[in-house]
Amino acid sequence: MKNILNKIDLLNNKKPKLNAVLAVLALLAVFCLKTALTMRTANWYAPTIVGCCGFAGIFMLLVFRNRRVFITKGGIFVIAMELLVGGSFLFNGLVLRVKAYCFIGIVFTILLPILHFIFATHDREKLTQRFCMTLALSYIVLLTVNMFRGPILVKFQYGAIMGNSNLLGYYLVVLIPALTYLLLKKKDTSFKNKAICWGLLVSALSMLVFTSSRTSVLALFFGMGYFLITAFISRDKSKKREFSKQHIITVVIITVTVPFILFFMLSTVRKELIILEHKLFSSKSSSASSKDDKDDDLESDFSLDYYIKGLDGEGEDSFTSGRMTIWKDFTKHVGIMGHASEHREIIEETRKYEHAKAHNVYLQVAYNAGAGAGAAYLIAVVFIGIRALMLFAGSVTAKKKHNLELLLSYSFFIGFAITSLTSDGYMIFNYFPVTMFWFTAHNYMFKDKQIQEVNETESQDTAEL
């Protein structure tokens, strides 16, 4: 097996461009599965099965294994928590006869540790660039498909083709840092490519405003704030960047025009396209006219009132959009064993939920697979957060320059940590924040063997002296 992997690596090194293209295509297929190609099937886990199996199989063959690493004690602890989560799902899946739980258990006990090792042995810079390029490509696909198949940008909250404003917001929480990384990383990139990247970034920020997703805005605010401030402080101060008049004018024009163009395309133009579609494909003129009348009632109006919801004296339940009621009900029913269904019917005086999820990652895992699984998931996330903070503090103390790859993984962690409090997305490939969080968790679980060998040599020399 080792000889086969070495031959694959040799082939990859001979044709790195082909390797990069195939890897990006594999990633793009997975990300599009939850964006432009959104699979609305009866079995919600079908996209996850396709994504996990296809992605893992392709990436095991395409990855550059050019780093020698060893797992740290902290990494062993994280994997132990993953095994506990996966084992709980497997046990509950077998006892309750839920196939989806069995598959989730296999992902956490087998697939996720393997992915950690694969990513850890990969060239960090190339891997991060491929992730970010793939996210950028998926956003271009999303905008294109949304222009023809998406809804009209109307008042309240906009979810594009995802059908849910929070899902779109969670996607943008990882997309915007990725676009920022590409903009800062590619110093040798042409001015044209930088302008395109900046246009996508401004467009994504505008789309985030359209979602009115407060959790996503908070996650992006703290994640990107940390990313940009640290990148600015740790920049190479000896090199001064000179901005030409052309660059400044281009940035200003894109910043001003792109939000208006996006708004116009998703509201007025999209509305006209829908009316045209009804006129062309409607079999009955009466039904067509009724649909046209219905479309005429859809005004391209957008409001920011949702951002202050609950702050007008309506109470905490209004502020959390009913999540307080859901959390209380799910907490009452968490036990040692899990439940066969992820959903609950919640009936209160002011609200009724026929098919509600927990809207909290740790509470959802605890409800599905038992309290032990929920606690293990929470401990793993907290541990990785503490480990990330320790590495950051150590770098500040040593006055080391921060690399953008590590800063981006910090940003992904912050984004997931905040969205996990109001989202039930605990499964990789189902939600973007949790996917990118687990994909970059290897940064806090493995160390380079070369660095370890150097440290051991230096300690031996010190001891001899």
Side-chain angles (χ1 to χ4, degrees):
M1 185 64 181
K2 185 176 181 181
N3 292 332
I4 294 174
L5 293 177
N6 288 335
K7 289 181 180 179
I8 293 173
D9 284 341
L10 182 62
L11 179 64
N12 287 336
N13 287 316
K14 286 182 178 179
K15 297 182 179 180
K17 291 185 179 180
L18 175 62
N19 173 275
V21 170
L22 291 174
V24 168
L25 287 176
L27 283 167
L28 183 59
V30 173
F31 284 118
C32 284
L33 209 57
K34 299 297 292 182
T35 54
L37 304 181
T38 309
M39 292 179 64
R40 301 295 183 185
T41 60
N43 181 4
W44 181 248
Y45 289 95
T48 307
I49 295 172
V50 175
C52 288
C53 296
F55 177 86
I58 294 174
F59 227 95
M60 285 179 187
L61 298 178
L62 296 180
V63 73
F64 283 103
R65 279 165 289 274
N66 62 350
R67 290 177 62 196
R68 297 173 59 222
V69 298
F70 72 97
I71 189 169
T72 63
K73 293 181 179 178
I76 295 174
F77 178 77
V78 172
I79 290 180
M81 294 298 102
E82 292 173 0
L83 294 176
L84 181 55
V85 172
S88 299
F89 270 104
L90 273 173
F91 176 76
N92 282 274
L94 293 173
V95 173
L96 301 174
R97 297 182 181 181
V98 181
K99 294 180 181 179
Y101 286 179
C102 294
F103 176 75
I104 294 172
I106 293 173
V107 170
F108 276 96
T109 54
I110 300 176
L111 183 58
L112 198 53
I114 291 175
L115 287 178
H116 288 326
F117 178 76
I118 290 175
F119 293 154
T121 56
H122 196 288
D123 182 274
R124 180 186 293 172
E125 185 174 351
K126 289 182 179 179
L127 182 66
T128 305
Q129 288 181 10
R130 289 178 187 178
F131 280 146
C132 295
M133 283 296 297
T134 304
L135 282 167
L137 289 172
S138 71
Y139 182 58
I140 294 174
V141 173
L142 183 145
L143 287 177
T144 304
V145 176
N146 194 64
M147 187 59 220
F148 297 96
R149 302 305 305 169
I152 302 173
L153 178 62
V154 293
K155 188 176 180 179
F156 200 44
Q157 290 186 282
Y158 186 70
I161 57 174
M162 294 186 179
N164 184 287
S165 59
N166 286 326
L167 286 179
L168 178 59
Y170 299 154
Y171 169 65
L172 296 172
V173 165
V174 298
L175 172 70
I176 293 172
L179 292 173
T180 306
Y181 168 85
L182 291 175
L183 200 61
L184 297 176
K185 188 68 178 180
K186 296 286 187 178
K187 296 181 180 179
D188 55 344
T189 304
S190 64
F191 176 71
K192 177 182 176 181
N193 290 337
K194 285 186 176 181
I196 293 174
C197 190
W198 179 252
L200 291 174
L201 181 59
V202 174
S203 170
L205 287 168
S206 303
M207 190 75 81
L208 183 65
V209 175
F210 297 156
T211 67
S212 293
S213 175
R214 295 168 297 174
T215 303
S216 302
V217 170
L218 283 174
L220 186 68
F221 176 80
F222 287 104
M224 282 301 298
Y226 167 84
F227 181 86
L228 293 175
I229 292 173
T230 309
F232 176 79
I233 294 174
S234 61
R235 74 189 187 284
D236 189 353
K237 299 177 180 60
S238 62
K239 297 181 181 180
K240 295 183 178 180
R241 291 189 176 185
E242 296 182 358
F243 298 97
S244 64
K245 187 176 181 180
Q246 179 188 12
H247 283 70
I248 296 175
I249 293 175
T250 303
V251 168
V252 172
I253 291 175
I254 290 175
T255 305
V256 173
T257 59
V258 166
F260 288 99
I261 293 174
L262 183 65
F263 183 90
F264 178 73
M265 296 293 287
L266 296 180
S267 56
T268 305
V269 175
R270 181 69 190 116
K271 179 181 177 181
E272 294 300 323
L273 285 176
I274 290 179
I275 295 174
L276 180 62
E277 288 174 2
H278 288 160
K279 289 181 179 180
L280 292 176
F281 299 105
S282 180
S283 58
K284 297 180 180 180
S285 58
S286 59
S287 61
S289 60
S290 63
K291 289 179 181 178
D292 293 344
D293 293 338
K294 183 178 179 181
D295 288 325
D296 289 336
D297 293 335
L298 293 174
E299 297 295 333
S300 301
D301 186 19
F302 182 75
S303 174
L304 298 180
D305 294 340
Y306 194 76
Y307 283 105
I308 59 173
K309 183 179 179 182
L311 301 178
D312 52 3
E314 294 182 8
E316 60 182 16
D317 193 61
S318 175
F319 178 72
T320 60
S321 299
R323 286 182 173 86
M324 289 294 294
T325 300
I326 296 174
W327 292 336
K328 291 176 182 177
D329 186 86
F330 269 84
T331 302
K332 293 177 183 178
H333 293 87
V334 170
I336 302 299
M337 282 290 297
H339 296 77
S341 175
E342 291 187 324
H343 306 87
R344 285 194 57 77
E345 182 181 13
I346 304 173
I347 301 176
E348 296 288 338
E349 294 181 0
T350 57
R351 294 179 182 271
K352 179 181 179 181
Y353 303 94
E354 295 181 354
H355 210 58
K357 281 192 173 183
H359 286 82
N360 179 281
V361 164
Y362 319 105
L363 189 56
Q364 187 70 63
V365 173
Y367 181 81
N368 291 0
Y377 203 109
L378 175 62
I379 291 171
V381 174
V382 172
F383 180 85
I384 291 174
I386 294 174
R387 180 61 180 160
L389 185 61
M390 290 174 61
L391 288 175
F392 171 70
S395 300
V396 172
T397 304
K399 295 182 179 180
K400 293 181 180 179
K401 184 180 179 181
H402 294 82
N403 62 69
L404 290 177
E405 289 74 31
L406 202 56
L407 287 180
L408 184 63
S409 69
Y410 290 166
S411 181
F412 287 150
F413 163 75
I414 294 172
F416 170 68
I418 294 177
T419 57
S420 67
L421 300 177
T422 59
S423 163
D424 47 71
Y426 61 88
M427 183 62 173
I428 61 172
F429 296 110
N430 261 10
Y431 291 82
F432 290 98
V434 64
T435 301
M436 299 313 300
F437 164 70
W438 284 115
F439 277 10
T440 55
H442 66 273
N443 289 313
Y444 320 110
M445 300 168 60
F446 294 85
K447 285 187 178 180
D448 290 338
K449 279 188 176 180
Q450 294 179 349
I451 297 175
Q452 178 70 9
E453 291 170 357
V454 170
N455 293 336
E456 290 178 354
T457 303
E458 290 178 350
S459 61
Q460 289 177 359
D461 294 341
T462 304
E464 291 176 358
L465 291 174

